[in-house]
Every structure is written in structure tokens, then in C-alpha cells.
Amino acid sequence: MRITYLDEEEWPSKYYPQYTIELKNVYIADKGVILDSNFNYIKECNFQYAFWNNLKNTKLMPKNVLSYLKSDIDYGKTIPEGSSENRNIEGAWDVTETLDDKTDYIYGMHYFGWYPYGHHWEVLQPLEKLEFLKPECSKLLVCGVKWDSIKDFDKQLSLFGFPEERVKKIRVNSNEKNPPSCVFIPKLFYSSPACYFTQVSERGLSYIEKCYSSIITPKHKQPTKLYLSRQLAKRRKVKNNKEVEEFLIKNGFTIVDGTENFEKHIELFRNAEIVVGPHGSMFNNILFSPGDVRVIEFCPETRRDYNFRGLGQTRGLDYHWIASPCDKDFNIQINMQTLEALL
């Protein structure tokens, strides 16, 4: 294993040291965990496992990569959350697939075995640190299930330099229908997280903007006003959504419900002067909005999530985060007087 730490001035990140690792003869097992040739947990490569696997265990969940690396906790010996087996992630696994020994594989896996909408930039940002790898000899390793969870994800990967021929899809997450799997990789490159999950670093922001710059969208004669509806989602809806939409449409808003393709999302957000909605991953698209956009996010008061507000702060946006009353399923009631006052 060869670790290369990057220059702190060029790659500033206080709690997320930036490094790349070259690994040989390793395994990717359940939850995307990287194990060495003896099936031992490699700490430097598995921050996302330690974080997500202990999301409900604050005593074990690391706050950032720096605290994780300094911790004495042996995360390889903690029982995986929701595991049907009372076993550690370490130890021999039955190998279900062996990859080509002439290819440099790049780690692009996610703990959940797929890419939750709003979390794909966690995988894409770190790729900048591995641009030195020759395209003709390298491939990105990605989760091969629920591929449509991200709008046109294959097209988006190509914008980051990974067209279909440079992508290798594998399955490593077990569930009630799929038995455990373990993939042997002769040569693997790992890049440390750019920042906290769902966020973008300042450098990551520039990198993402550069990669999406080839998407040309029309400039609207009038700025758009967007309402991000969750009525097609399974949960975290707006109980008085009809009232909200009728009011906003009268005030010139466009309803965005998530069925649009990613080019349309980029177009709408690039032209937005105000974005309103209940907490949800479509807020990630404020990354494409002008610097003077105003954002209003209504979040369930019993499920407070500040991730998108953090993205707004990184960009220096006029961001309003409002805790809203909700039921046990986190369906919220938007206060119409509050909404009208903020417009």
C-alpha cells in the first residue's frame, strides 16, 4: 500500500486530509469495504463505512476523516449495521468475481450499494486527485444496482471523464434477495473524501463546475422561480402542498417535481432567482444557480438536516432554513404566512 498526501496549500481541507492510495491484491466486500490480501480492514480507505455503519451510534461514528484516522477504535471488528450474520467485516469472504490484472481500477463505490440521489458528488469530487491515471488503462469501479436513482448518471459520469467503456459495475451489497459478494482487485486506487458527506469543498465546487461546463443551456429572458415539489416522493411530503403550489404558481413559480432530466435541472437552476421547497435532494442543484439566488428550505422539525444549508454557505448564498411542524413520517406543514413573508 502506497499513500501519497497532497499539498495542503493546493488542497486545503482542515478536517479532511487529502491523499490517494495505491493498493494491490485487495478485496471489496459488503458495504464497499476495502480489505487487504489477508481480508483485514484497511483503515485509511474506509471512512465512509465507519461513518454510515455507525450513523445511529454517536459513540462510534467519526465526525470527520482526521478524527477517524486518529481514533483507536477498530472499525473492522464492529458488527455491520443490519447484518443478518453476527460477524465482523474482517475475515475470509467467498470471492465471487476477480477483475482484470492489467487494469488500474478507481474506487467509486458507495456504502449503500447504490447512489442515493444527492450523494453522488461524494463519489465524483475525489476523482480529481486521480486524473494522473491514463484513461486507456483505468476504469471506475461503481455500484451496479439502482442505476437510475441518479438522473442520467451514466451521462454525468462521462462529463467527469468516465464514458461507458471506462466504467466497471459490480455488486457488493447483500440483502434478503442477494447473497454476500466479494470482488478481488489486483490493482486499486483510492482517493480520500473531499469533505463531509452531501457537501462540496471549495476546490470540489470548482471541479464540478468545470466538469458540467460542457452542458450548454439557454439563458431565460426572465429569471425563474422554482418550487421543488416532493409529491411524487414516497415520504417527507408537504401536507398542504396544493395550497402551497396554487399560491406559488400565482406568483410566477415553476413546479419542479424530479421527473425532469438533469440537463433541464441545470437549465432551470442556472436561471433561478429564488428556490423554494421542502427538504430534499433537488436542493443539491443550487450548485448551478447564480450567486445571488435566494433559497428557502422547509425542513421537518423532528428530522433536522442542515446539509443543503451547508452547501449554500459554501457558495455564500442567501439561504433561509425553516424548521416546520411534521407528523411521524416527517410530512411537513408549510406555514403560509412565513412563506409569503420570505418571498
Side-chain angles (χ1 to χ4, degrees):
M1 181 175 79
R2 184 170 66 184
I3 302 179
T4 302
Y5 285 91
L6 305 185
D7 183 82
E8 292 183 5
E9 291 187 5
E10 186 178 356
W11 299 83
S13 188
K14 185 176 181 180
Y15 298 108
Y16 288 82
Q18 297 298 289
Y19 56 86
T20 62
I21 304 180
E22 180 181 346
L23 302 139
K24 292 185 178 180
N25 300 324
V26 294
Y27 301 90
I28 295 181
D30 206 30
K31 309 297 185 186
V33 172
I34 302 174
L35 304 174
D36 68 16
S37 58
N38 294 313
F39 295 97
N40 294 314
Y41 182 87
I42 306 175
K43 189 170 187 177
E44 293 83 356
C45 304
N46 288 302
F47 171 71
Q48 71 161 333
Y49 170 78
F51 180 90
W52 291 114
N53 195 54
N54 295 290
L55 191 61
K56 298 179 181 179
N57 188 341
T58 55
K59 291 183 179 180
L60 288 179
M61 187 183 74
K63 294 180 179 180
N64 51 60
V65 171
L66 187 61
S67 65
Y68 165 72
L69 293 175
K70 291 181 176 180
S71 171
D72 294 328
I73 298 173
D74 189 345
Y75 288 98
K77 292 182 170 56
T78 57
I79 303 300
E81 182 181 4
S83 175
S84 58
E85 300 180 54
N86 187 24
R87 62 159 293 169
N88 302 329
I89 202 73
E90 289 186 319
W93 292 75
D94 292 330
V95 178
T96 54
E97 185 176 4
T98 297
L99 301 188
D100 176 38
D101 61 1
K102 294 180 176 60
T103 300
D104 294 335
Y105 290 99
I106 299 169
Y107 185 86
M109 308 299 295
H110 199 284
Y111 170 87
F112 293 106
W114 58 291
Y115 302 94
Y117 191 56
H119 288 266
H120 58 304
W121 286 332
E122 297 165 10
V123 173
L124 298 177
Q125 282 183 85
L127 297 180
E128 183 185 12
K129 299 196 289 287
L130 294 173
E131 286 188 328
F132 64 86
L133 293 174
K134 295 180 180 179
E136 65 272 17
C137 303
S138 58
K139 288 186 177 183
L140 181 66
L141 275 183
V142 296
C143 310
V145 297
K146 287 191 180 181
W147 193 250
D148 58 354
S149 61
I150 303 296
K151 292 289 180 182
D152 303 310
F153 196 29
D154 52 348
K155 293 181 182 179
Q156 296 196 53
L157 285 179
S158 68
L159 296 176
F160 286 78
F162 293 93
E164 185 177 0
E165 61 270 19
R166 284 196 73 199
V167 174
K168 169 63 177 175
K169 298 179 182 179
I170 60 174
R171 183 186 66 80
V172 293
N173 268 39
S174 58
N175 52 42
E176 294 178 355
K177 297 181 179 179
N178 297 310
S181 58
C182 177
V183 180
F184 176 73
I185 305 104
K187 195 171 184 180
L188 179 68
F189 287 83
Y190 171 86
S191 180
S192 64
C195 54
Y196 187 78
F197 296 114
T198 74
Q199 301 299 294
V200 294
S201 65
E202 291 187 6
R203 175 146 185 158
L205 177 62
S206 298
Y207 176 58
I208 292 171
E209 288 176 339
K210 180 190 74 172
C211 291
Y212 284 94
S213 64
S214 61
I215 300 296
I216 307 301
T217 56
K219 184 173 179 59
H220 295 184
K221 292 182 179 179
Q222 296 294 329
T224 56
K225 301 177 180 180
L226 305 179
Y227 174 64
L228 312 182
S229 174
R230 285 189 61 84
Q231 289 312 100
L232 298 180
K234 295 180 180 179
R235 56 185 183 141
R236 301 205 315 270
K237 299 184 179 185
V238 175
K239 292 191 283 185
N240 60 330
N241 190 72
K242 182 179 179 182
E243 179 185 19
V244 171
E245 288 195 1
E246 288 177 352
F247 170 75
L248 291 176
I249 289 172
K250 288 180 181 178
N251 283 274
F253 276 73
T254 297
I255 309 301
V256 184
D257 62 12
T259 60
E260 305 82 7
N261 62 34
F262 87 99
E263 287 101 336
K264 188 62 177 180
H265 277 171
I266 292 176
E267 175 191 340
L268 290 170
F269 279 84
R270 279 178 177 171
N271 287 280
E273 67 173 356
I274 183 170
V275 178
V276 177
H279 173 80
S281 292
M282 277 197 289
F283 276 102
N284 251 353
N285 293 304
I286 62 173
L287 184 148
F288 303 112
S289 295
D292 59 355
V293 69
R294 184 152 40 103
V295 184
I296 304 171
E297 177 190 358
F298 293 90
C299 193
E301 63 182 1
T302 59
R303 188 186 182 277
R304 298 182 177 229
D305 191 318
Y306 303 100
N307 286 325
F308 303 120
R309 187 179 72 174
L311 178 57
Q313 290 173 338
T314 299
R315 293 207 56 217
L317 303 182
D318 179 11
Y319 204 104
H320 303 265
W321 185 98
I322 301 97
S324 303
C326 61
D327 59 25
K328 62 180 180 62
D329 296 316
F330 309 115
N331 299 305
I332 67 171
Q333 181 81 16
I334 290 181
N335 185 296
M336 296 303 296
Q337 289 182 326
T338 301
L339 175 60
E340 187 172 358
L342 287 170
L343 294 184

